Short mmCIF file of all heavy atoms in Angstrom, two decimals:
data_model
loop_
_atom_site.label_atom_id
_atom_site.label_comp_id
_atom_site.label_asym_id
_atom_site.label_seq_id
_atom_site.Cartn_x
_atom_site.Cartn_y
_atom_site.Cartn_z
N MET U 5 11.81 -3.10 9.96
CA MET U 5 11.12 -2.02 9.28
C MET U 5 10.08 -1.41 10.23
O MET U 5 9.52 -2.10 11.06
CB MET U 5 10.44 -2.51 8.01
CG MET U 5 11.41 -2.70 6.86
SD MET U 5 10.60 -3.01 5.29
CE MET U 5 10.51 -4.78 5.34
N GLU U 6 9.81 -0.15 10.02
CA GLU U 6 8.87 0.60 10.86
C GLU U 6 7.45 0.51 10.30
O GLU U 6 7.24 0.56 9.09
CB GLU U 6 9.32 2.06 10.87
CG GLU U 6 8.43 2.98 11.65
CD GLU U 6 8.87 4.43 11.53
OE1 GLU U 6 9.95 4.69 10.97
OE2 GLU U 6 8.09 5.29 11.96
N LYS U 7 6.48 0.36 11.18
CA LYS U 7 5.07 0.35 10.76
C LYS U 7 4.57 1.77 10.59
O LYS U 7 4.89 2.64 11.41
CB LYS U 7 4.22 -0.39 11.77
CG LYS U 7 4.56 -1.86 11.87
CD LYS U 7 3.30 -2.65 12.00
CE LYS U 7 3.64 -4.13 12.16
NZ LYS U 7 3.49 -4.86 10.97
N VAL U 8 3.80 2.01 9.52
CA VAL U 8 3.24 3.33 9.24
C VAL U 8 1.82 3.17 8.72
O VAL U 8 1.44 2.13 8.20
CB VAL U 8 4.07 4.10 8.19
CG1 VAL U 8 5.45 4.43 8.71
CG2 VAL U 8 4.17 3.32 6.89
N GLU U 9 1.03 4.22 8.87
CA GLU U 9 -0.29 4.28 8.24
C GLU U 9 -0.14 5.05 6.93
O GLU U 9 0.54 6.08 6.89
CB GLU U 9 -1.30 4.97 9.15
CG GLU U 9 -1.74 4.10 10.29
CD GLU U 9 -2.98 4.63 10.96
OE1 GLU U 9 -3.31 5.83 10.82
OE2 GLU U 9 -3.64 3.83 11.64
N PHE U 10 -0.77 4.53 5.88
CA PHE U 10 -0.67 5.16 4.58
C PHE U 10 -2.02 5.17 3.88
O PHE U 10 -2.89 4.35 4.19
CB PHE U 10 0.38 4.46 3.71
CG PHE U 10 0.01 3.05 3.31
CD1 PHE U 10 -0.52 2.80 2.06
CD2 PHE U 10 0.19 1.98 4.17
CE1 PHE U 10 -0.89 1.51 1.68
CE2 PHE U 10 -0.17 0.69 3.80
CZ PHE U 10 -0.70 0.46 2.55
N ARG U 11 -2.19 6.09 2.96
CA ARG U 11 -3.41 6.20 2.15
C ARG U 11 -3.05 5.83 0.72
O ARG U 11 -2.07 6.35 0.16
CB ARG U 11 -3.97 7.61 2.20
CG ARG U 11 -5.21 7.81 1.33
CD ARG U 11 -5.81 9.20 1.47
NE ARG U 11 -6.33 9.37 2.82
CZ ARG U 11 -5.87 10.23 3.71
NH1 ARG U 11 -4.87 11.02 3.42
NH2 ARG U 11 -6.42 10.31 4.91
N VAL U 12 -3.85 4.97 0.11
CA VAL U 12 -3.63 4.55 -1.27
C VAL U 12 -4.09 5.66 -2.21
O VAL U 12 -5.22 6.15 -2.11
CB VAL U 12 -4.39 3.24 -1.59
CG1 VAL U 12 -4.26 2.88 -3.05
CG2 VAL U 12 -3.89 2.11 -0.71
N LEU U 13 -3.21 6.08 -3.12
CA LEU U 13 -3.55 7.11 -4.10
C LEU U 13 -3.93 6.51 -5.45
O LEU U 13 -4.79 7.03 -6.15
CB LEU U 13 -2.36 8.06 -4.29
CG LEU U 13 -1.92 8.81 -3.03
CD1 LEU U 13 -0.69 9.66 -3.34
CD2 LEU U 13 -3.05 9.67 -2.49
N ARG U 14 -3.27 5.42 -5.83
CA ARG U 14 -3.59 4.73 -7.09
C ARG U 14 -2.93 3.37 -7.08
O ARG U 14 -2.07 3.09 -6.26
CB ARG U 14 -3.14 5.55 -8.29
CG ARG U 14 -1.67 5.75 -8.43
CD ARG U 14 -1.34 6.66 -9.63
NE ARG U 14 0.08 6.90 -9.70
CZ ARG U 14 0.94 6.14 -10.38
NH1 ARG U 14 0.51 5.10 -11.06
NH2 ARG U 14 2.22 6.44 -10.41
N PHE U 15 -3.36 2.52 -8.00
CA PHE U 15 -2.81 1.17 -8.14
C PHE U 15 -1.99 1.06 -9.40
O PHE U 15 -2.36 1.61 -10.44
CB PHE U 15 -3.93 0.12 -8.22
CG PHE U 15 -4.77 0.03 -6.98
CD1 PHE U 15 -6.11 0.37 -7.01
CD2 PHE U 15 -4.22 -0.39 -5.78
CE1 PHE U 15 -6.89 0.29 -5.87
CE2 PHE U 15 -4.99 -0.47 -4.63
CZ PHE U 15 -6.33 -0.13 -4.69
N GLU U 16 -0.87 0.34 -9.33
CA GLU U 16 -0.05 0.03 -10.50
C GLU U 16 -0.52 -1.28 -11.13
O GLU U 16 -0.36 -1.48 -12.32
CB GLU U 16 1.42 -0.11 -10.09
CG GLU U 16 2.06 1.18 -9.62
CD GLU U 16 2.53 2.04 -10.77
OE1 GLU U 16 3.07 1.50 -11.73
OE2 GLU U 16 2.35 3.27 -10.68
N ASP U 17 -1.08 -2.18 -10.32
CA ASP U 17 -1.51 -3.50 -10.76
C ASP U 17 -2.98 -3.70 -10.43
O ASP U 17 -3.56 -2.97 -9.63
CB ASP U 17 -0.69 -4.59 -10.07
CG ASP U 17 0.78 -4.53 -10.42
OD1 ASP U 17 1.10 -4.38 -11.60
OD2 ASP U 17 1.61 -4.63 -9.48
N CYS U 18 -3.57 -4.72 -11.02
CA CYS U 18 -4.97 -5.07 -10.74
C CYS U 18 -5.06 -5.76 -9.39
O CYS U 18 -4.17 -6.51 -9.00
CB CYS U 18 -5.51 -5.99 -11.82
SG CYS U 18 -5.60 -5.22 -13.44
N ARG U 19 -6.15 -5.52 -8.70
CA ARG U 19 -6.42 -6.18 -7.42
C ARG U 19 -7.14 -7.49 -7.67
O ARG U 19 -7.92 -7.61 -8.61
CB ARG U 19 -7.30 -5.32 -6.53
CG ARG U 19 -6.69 -4.00 -6.16
CD ARG U 19 -7.67 -3.15 -5.38
NE ARG U 19 -8.85 -2.89 -6.20
CZ ARG U 19 -10.08 -2.81 -5.75
NH1 ARG U 19 -10.34 -2.96 -4.47
NH2 ARG U 19 -11.09 -2.56 -6.55
N SER U 20 -6.92 -8.48 -6.80
CA SER U 20 -7.71 -9.71 -6.86
C SER U 20 -9.10 -9.42 -6.31
O SER U 20 -9.31 -8.43 -5.60
CB SER U 20 -7.03 -10.83 -6.08
OG SER U 20 -7.02 -10.55 -4.71
N SER U 21 -10.04 -10.26 -6.61
CA SER U 21 -11.43 -10.02 -6.19
C SER U 21 -11.60 -10.07 -4.68
O SER U 21 -12.57 -9.53 -4.16
CB SER U 21 -12.37 -11.05 -6.85
OG SER U 21 -12.01 -12.35 -6.45
N GLN U 22 -10.67 -10.67 -3.96
CA GLN U 22 -10.78 -10.76 -2.50
C GLN U 22 -10.00 -9.68 -1.77
O GLN U 22 -9.98 -9.65 -0.55
CB GLN U 22 -10.31 -12.14 -2.04
CG GLN U 22 -11.17 -13.26 -2.58
CD GLN U 22 -10.61 -14.62 -2.20
OE1 GLN U 22 -9.47 -14.74 -1.81
NE2 GLN U 22 -11.43 -15.63 -2.34
N SER U 23 -9.36 -8.78 -2.49
CA SER U 23 -8.57 -7.73 -1.86
C SER U 23 -9.46 -6.66 -1.25
O SER U 23 -10.48 -6.28 -1.82
CB SER U 23 -7.64 -7.07 -2.89
OG SER U 23 -6.91 -6.02 -2.28
N GLU U 24 -9.07 -6.19 -0.07
CA GLU U 24 -9.83 -5.13 0.60
C GLU U 24 -9.34 -3.74 0.24
O GLU U 24 -9.93 -2.75 0.64
CB GLU U 24 -9.77 -5.32 2.13
CG GLU U 24 -8.47 -4.88 2.79
CD GLU U 24 -7.35 -5.91 2.77
OE1 GLU U 24 -7.38 -6.84 1.94
OE2 GLU U 24 -6.43 -5.78 3.58
N LEU U 25 -8.26 -3.66 -0.53
CA LEU U 25 -7.68 -2.35 -0.86
C LEU U 25 -8.63 -1.49 -1.69
O LEU U 25 -9.27 -1.98 -2.61
CB LEU U 25 -6.38 -2.53 -1.64
CG LEU U 25 -5.19 -3.04 -0.86
CD1 LEU U 25 -4.02 -3.30 -1.79
CD2 LEU U 25 -4.80 -2.06 0.22
N GLU U 26 -8.69 -0.22 -1.33
CA GLU U 26 -9.50 0.76 -2.04
C GLU U 26 -8.68 2.03 -2.21
O GLU U 26 -7.91 2.40 -1.31
CB GLU U 26 -10.75 1.12 -1.24
CG GLU U 26 -11.65 -0.04 -0.90
CD GLU U 26 -12.74 -0.25 -1.92
OE1 GLU U 26 -13.05 0.70 -2.64
OE2 GLU U 26 -13.28 -1.35 -1.97
N ILE U 27 -8.84 2.73 -3.30
CA ILE U 27 -8.21 4.03 -3.46
C ILE U 27 -8.81 4.96 -2.40
O ILE U 27 -10.02 5.01 -2.22
CB ILE U 27 -8.40 4.59 -4.87
CG1 ILE U 27 -7.60 3.72 -5.84
CG2 ILE U 27 -8.00 6.05 -4.96
CD1 ILE U 27 -7.74 4.08 -7.29
N GLY U 28 -7.95 5.65 -1.68
CA GLY U 28 -8.38 6.52 -0.59
C GLY U 28 -8.42 5.81 0.75
O GLY U 28 -8.55 6.47 1.79
N GLY U 29 -8.32 4.49 0.75
CA GLY U 29 -8.32 3.73 1.99
C GLY U 29 -7.04 3.93 2.77
O GLY U 29 -5.98 4.16 2.19
N VAL U 30 -7.13 3.83 4.10
CA VAL U 30 -5.97 3.97 4.98
C VAL U 30 -5.65 2.59 5.57
O VAL U 30 -6.53 1.92 6.10
CB VAL U 30 -6.24 5.00 6.09
CG1 VAL U 30 -5.07 5.07 7.06
CG2 VAL U 30 -6.50 6.37 5.48
N TYR U 31 -4.38 2.21 5.48
CA TYR U 31 -3.93 0.89 5.91
C TYR U 31 -2.61 1.02 6.67
O TYR U 31 -1.97 2.07 6.63
CB TYR U 31 -3.73 -0.02 4.68
CG TYR U 31 -4.96 -0.09 3.83
CD1 TYR U 31 -5.10 0.75 2.73
CD2 TYR U 31 -6.01 -0.94 4.14
CE1 TYR U 31 -6.25 0.72 1.95
CE2 TYR U 31 -7.16 -0.98 3.37
CZ TYR U 31 -7.28 -0.14 2.28
OH TYR U 31 -8.41 -0.16 1.52
N THR U 32 -2.21 -0.04 7.35
CA THR U 32 -0.94 -0.07 8.06
C THR U 32 0.00 -1.00 7.32
O THR U 32 -0.33 -2.15 7.03
CB THR U 32 -1.13 -0.58 9.51
OG1 THR U 32 -2.05 0.30 10.17
CG2 THR U 32 0.18 -0.59 10.26
N GLY U 33 1.17 -0.46 6.99
CA GLY U 33 2.19 -1.25 6.29
C GLY U 33 3.54 -0.99 6.90
O GLY U 33 3.66 -0.35 7.95
N GLU U 34 4.58 -1.50 6.25
CA GLU U 34 5.95 -1.32 6.72
C GLU U 34 6.71 -0.48 5.71
O GLU U 34 6.64 -0.73 4.50
CB GLU U 34 6.62 -2.67 6.91
CG GLU U 34 5.98 -3.48 8.02
CD GLU U 34 6.70 -4.78 8.27
OE1 GLU U 34 7.26 -5.37 7.31
OE2 GLU U 34 6.69 -5.23 9.43
N ILE U 35 7.45 0.51 6.22
CA ILE U 35 8.16 1.43 5.34
C ILE U 35 9.65 1.10 5.29
O ILE U 35 10.24 0.70 6.29
CB ILE U 35 7.93 2.89 5.78
CG1 ILE U 35 8.42 3.85 4.71
CG2 ILE U 35 8.58 3.16 7.12
CD1 ILE U 35 7.97 5.28 4.93
N ASP U 36 10.21 1.22 4.11
CA ASP U 36 11.65 1.08 3.89
C ASP U 36 12.03 2.10 2.83
O ASP U 36 11.65 1.96 1.67
CB ASP U 36 11.98 -0.34 3.43
CG ASP U 36 13.47 -0.55 3.24
OD1 ASP U 36 14.27 0.09 3.95
OD2 ASP U 36 13.84 -1.36 2.37
N LYS U 37 12.73 3.15 3.26
CA LYS U 37 13.08 4.28 2.39
C LYS U 37 11.82 4.91 1.83
O LYS U 37 11.00 5.39 2.59
CB LYS U 37 14.07 3.85 1.31
CG LYS U 37 15.37 3.35 1.89
CD LYS U 37 16.37 3.04 0.84
CE LYS U 37 17.63 2.50 1.51
NZ LYS U 37 18.62 2.09 0.58
N ASN U 38 11.59 4.87 0.52
CA ASN U 38 10.40 5.52 -0.06
C ASN U 38 9.33 4.51 -0.45
O ASN U 38 8.43 4.82 -1.21
CB ASN U 38 10.78 6.38 -1.27
CG ASN U 38 11.20 5.54 -2.46
OD1 ASN U 38 11.71 4.44 -2.31
ND2 ASN U 38 10.97 6.06 -3.65
N ARG U 39 9.42 3.28 0.08
CA ARG U 39 8.45 2.25 -0.26
C ARG U 39 7.69 1.77 0.97
O ARG U 39 8.26 1.64 2.05
CB ARG U 39 9.16 1.04 -0.88
CG ARG U 39 9.63 1.32 -2.29
CD ARG U 39 10.45 0.19 -2.76
NE ARG U 39 11.82 0.55 -2.37
CZ ARG U 39 12.90 0.04 -2.90
NH1 ARG U 39 12.82 -0.89 -3.81
NH2 ARG U 39 14.08 0.44 -2.51
N VAL U 40 6.41 1.50 0.77
CA VAL U 40 5.57 0.93 1.82
C VAL U 40 5.11 -0.44 1.35
O VAL U 40 4.58 -0.58 0.24
CB VAL U 40 4.36 1.83 2.13
CG1 VAL U 40 3.46 1.17 3.16
CG2 VAL U 40 4.80 3.21 2.61
N TYR U 41 5.34 -1.44 2.18
CA TYR U 41 4.97 -2.82 1.86
C TYR U 41 3.72 -3.21 2.63
O TYR U 41 3.58 -2.89 3.82
CB TYR U 41 6.12 -3.77 2.21
CG TYR U 41 7.38 -3.45 1.45
CD1 TYR U 41 8.39 -2.71 2.04
CD2 TYR U 41 7.55 -3.88 0.14
CE1 TYR U 41 9.54 -2.40 1.35
CE2 TYR U 41 8.70 -3.58 -0.56
CZ TYR U 41 9.69 -2.84 0.05
OH TYR U 41 10.84 -2.54 -0.65
N PHE U 42 2.82 -3.92 1.94
CA PHE U 42 1.54 -4.29 2.55
C PHE U 42 1.10 -5.63 1.95
O PHE U 42 1.25 -5.85 0.75
CB PHE U 42 0.49 -3.22 2.24
CG PHE U 42 -0.87 -3.52 2.79
CD1 PHE U 42 -1.15 -3.34 4.12
CD2 PHE U 42 -1.86 -4.00 1.96
CE1 PHE U 42 -2.41 -3.61 4.63
CE2 PHE U 42 -3.13 -4.27 2.46
CZ PHE U 42 -3.39 -4.08 3.80
N THR U 43 0.55 -6.50 2.80
CA THR U 43 -0.04 -7.76 2.33
C THR U 43 -1.53 -7.69 2.60
O THR U 43 -1.95 -7.48 3.75
CB THR U 43 0.57 -8.97 3.04
OG1 THR U 43 1.99 -8.98 2.80
CG2 THR U 43 -0.03 -10.27 2.51
N ASP U 44 -2.35 -7.83 1.55
CA ASP U 44 -3.81 -7.72 1.73
C ASP U 44 -4.40 -9.03 2.21
O ASP U 44 -3.70 -10.04 2.35
CB ASP U 44 -4.48 -7.20 0.46
CG ASP U 44 -4.40 -8.15 -0.73
OD1 ASP U 44 -4.12 -9.35 -0.54
OD2 ASP U 44 -4.66 -7.69 -1.85
N GLN U 45 -5.70 -9.03 2.50
CA GLN U 45 -6.35 -10.21 3.05
C GLN U 45 -6.41 -11.37 2.06
O GLN U 45 -6.61 -12.51 2.45
CB GLN U 45 -7.75 -9.87 3.56
CG GLN U 45 -8.73 -9.47 2.48
CD GLN U 45 -10.04 -8.99 3.07
OE1 GLN U 45 -10.14 -8.68 4.25
NE2 GLN U 45 -11.06 -8.92 2.24
N ALA U 46 -6.19 -11.11 0.78
CA ALA U 46 -6.14 -12.16 -0.23
C ALA U 46 -4.75 -12.80 -0.29
O ALA U 46 -4.55 -13.77 -1.01
CB ALA U 46 -6.51 -11.61 -1.60
N GLY U 47 -3.79 -12.24 0.47
CA GLY U 47 -2.44 -12.77 0.50
C GLY U 47 -1.53 -12.18 -0.57
O GLY U 47 -0.41 -12.64 -0.75
N ASP U 48 -2.01 -11.15 -1.28
CA ASP U 48 -1.20 -10.50 -2.31
C ASP U 48 -0.28 -9.48 -1.66
O ASP U 48 -0.71 -8.69 -0.81
CB ASP U 48 -2.09 -9.79 -3.34
CG ASP U 48 -2.95 -10.76 -4.12
OD1 ASP U 48 -2.51 -11.91 -4.34
OD2 ASP U 48 -4.07 -10.38 -4.51
N ASN U 49 0.98 -9.49 -2.05
CA ASN U 49 1.96 -8.52 -1.55
C ASN U 49 1.96 -7.29 -2.45
O ASN U 49 2.02 -7.41 -3.67
CB ASN U 49 3.36 -9.14 -1.52
CG ASN U 49 3.44 -10.27 -0.52
OD1 ASN U 49 2.99 -10.13 0.61
ND2 ASN U 49 4.00 -11.38 -0.93
N TRP U 50 1.93 -6.12 -1.81
CA TRP U 50 1.90 -4.85 -2.53
C TRP U 50 3.10 -4.00 -2.13
O TRP U 50 3.52 -4.02 -0.98
CB TRP U 50 0.63 -4.09 -2.18
CG TRP U 50 -0.61 -4.71 -2.71
CD1 TRP U 50 -1.34 -5.70 -2.12
CD2 TRP U 50 -1.25 -4.41 -3.94
NE1 TRP U 50 -2.40 -6.01 -2.90
CE2 TRP U 50 -2.37 -5.23 -4.03
CE3 TRP U 50 -1.00 -3.51 -4.96
CZ2 TRP U 50 -3.23 -5.19 -5.11
CZ3 TRP U 50 -1.86 -3.47 -6.03
CH2 TRP U 50 -2.96 -4.30 -6.10
N THR U 51 3.58 -3.23 -3.08
CA THR U 51 4.58 -2.21 -2.81
C THR U 51 4.02 -0.89 -3.31
O THR U 51 3.65 -0.76 -4.48
CB THR U 51 5.91 -2.50 -3.55
OG1 THR U 51 6.38 -3.78 -3.13
CG2 THR U 51 6.95 -1.44 -3.22
N PHE U 52 3.92 0.08 -2.40
CA PHE U 52 3.45 1.41 -2.74
C PHE U 52 4.62 2.38 -2.60
O PHE U 52 5.50 2.18 -1.76
CB PHE U 52 2.31 1.84 -1.81
CG PHE U 52 1.06 1.03 -1.98
CD1 PHE U 52 0.80 -0.05 -1.17
CD2 PHE U 52 0.16 1.34 -2.98
CE1 PHE U 52 -0.34 -0.81 -1.33
CE2 PHE U 52 -0.99 0.59 -3.15
CZ PHE U 52 -1.24 -0.49 -2.33
N TYR U 53 4.63 3.41 -3.42
CA TYR U 53 5.72 4.39 -3.43
C TYR U 53 5.23 5.72 -2.87
O TYR U 53 4.20 6.24 -3.32
CB TYR U 53 6.27 4.55 -4.84
CG TYR U 53 6.85 3.26 -5.35
CD1 TYR U 53 6.06 2.36 -6.05
CD2 TYR U 53 8.17 2.93 -5.08
CE1 TYR U 53 6.58 1.14 -6.48
CE2 TYR U 53 8.70 1.73 -5.51
CZ TYR U 53 7.90 0.84 -6.21
OH TYR U 53 8.41 -0.38 -6.62
N LEU U 54 5.96 6.24 -1.88
CA LEU U 54 5.57 7.49 -1.23
C LEU U 54 5.46 8.62 -2.24
O LEU U 54 6.30 8.77 -3.12
CB LEU U 54 6.58 7.88 -0.16
CG LEU U 54 6.60 7.01 1.09
CD1 LEU U 54 7.67 7.49 2.06
CD2 LEU U 54 5.25 6.99 1.77
N ASN U 55 4.40 9.40 -2.08
CA ASN U 55 4.12 10.56 -2.92
C ASN U 55 3.92 10.20 -4.39
O ASN U 55 4.03 11.07 -5.26
CB ASN U 55 5.20 11.64 -2.75
CG ASN U 55 5.32 12.04 -1.31
OD1 ASN U 55 4.35 12.23 -0.61
ND2 ASN U 55 6.55 12.16 -0.84
N ASP U 56 3.64 8.94 -4.66
CA ASP U 56 3.32 8.49 -6.02
C ASP U 56 2.05 7.64 -5.96
O ASP U 56 1.00 8.08 -6.38
CB ASP U 56 4.49 7.71 -6.61
CG ASP U 56 4.22 7.23 -8.02
OD1 ASP U 56 3.42 7.88 -8.73
OD2 ASP U 56 4.80 6.21 -8.43
N THR U 57 2.16 6.44 -5.37
CA THR U 57 0.99 5.58 -5.26
C THR U 57 0.40 5.58 -3.85
O THR U 57 -0.66 5.00 -3.63
CB THR U 57 1.34 4.13 -5.67
OG1 THR U 57 2.44 3.66 -4.90
CG2 THR U 57 1.66 4.05 -7.15
N CYS U 58 1.09 6.25 -2.89
CA CYS U 58 0.54 6.38 -1.54
C CYS U 58 1.11 7.61 -0.86
O CYS U 58 2.07 8.22 -1.35
CB CYS U 58 0.84 5.13 -0.70
SG CYS U 58 2.52 5.01 -0.07
N GLU U 59 0.48 7.96 0.27
CA GLU U 59 0.98 9.03 1.12
C GLU U 59 0.83 8.61 2.56
O GLU U 59 -0.05 7.83 2.90
CB GLU U 59 0.23 10.35 0.86
CG GLU U 59 -1.25 10.28 1.21
CD GLU U 59 -2.01 11.54 0.84
OE1 GLU U 59 -1.42 12.45 0.25
OE2 GLU U 59 -3.22 11.59 1.15
N LEU U 60 1.71 9.10 3.43
CA LEU U 60 1.61 8.79 4.84
C LEU U 60 0.52 9.64 5.48
O LEU U 60 0.27 10.76 5.05
CB LEU U 60 2.94 9.07 5.54
CG LEU U 60 4.13 8.21 5.09
CD1 LEU U 60 5.36 8.58 5.88
CD2 LEU U 60 3.83 6.73 5.20
N VAL U 61 -0.16 9.08 6.47
CA VAL U 61 -1.20 9.82 7.19
C VAL U 61 -0.81 9.96 8.65
O VAL U 61 0.06 9.30 9.14
CB VAL U 61 -2.59 9.16 7.08
CG1 VAL U 61 -3.07 9.22 5.66
CG2 VAL U 61 -2.58 7.75 7.58
#
């Protein structure tokens, strides 16, 4: 999978208290079709959807 930078637009699930994710934050994840996969510092796996819950920067 290709690495991409993405901006979080909204969350589908609740974040753990140790997660660094923020709405509007820019992170590096891996893209596969229209999904971006990211693991936060709390070890939680996230799936973001292009033009829905995230956008590429």
Side-chain angles (χ1 to χ4, degrees):
M5 282 190 270
E6 178 185 351
K7 294 221 182 260
V8 294
E9 285 195 340
F10 67 99
R11 178 176 293 115
V12 175
L13 300 177
R14 65 183 177 90
F15 296 115
E16 293 277 320
D17 297 314
C18 295
R19 298 175 300 144
S20 67
S21 61
Q22 297 175 344
S23 178
E24 78 276 20
L25 288 174
E26 302 267 339
I27 291 177
V30 175
Y31 306 95
T32 301
E34 294 184 328
I35 192 167
D36 182 31
K37 298 185 182 176
N38 71 331
R39 287 173 270 200
V40 177
Y41 300 99
F42 179 78
T43 301
D44 67 16
Q45 66 187 16
D48 296 329
N49 294 313
W50 291 86
T51 302
F52 293 96
Y53 297 91
L54 290 179
N55 303 317
D56 180 27
T57 55
C58 77
E59 63 185 4
L60 296 181
V61 294

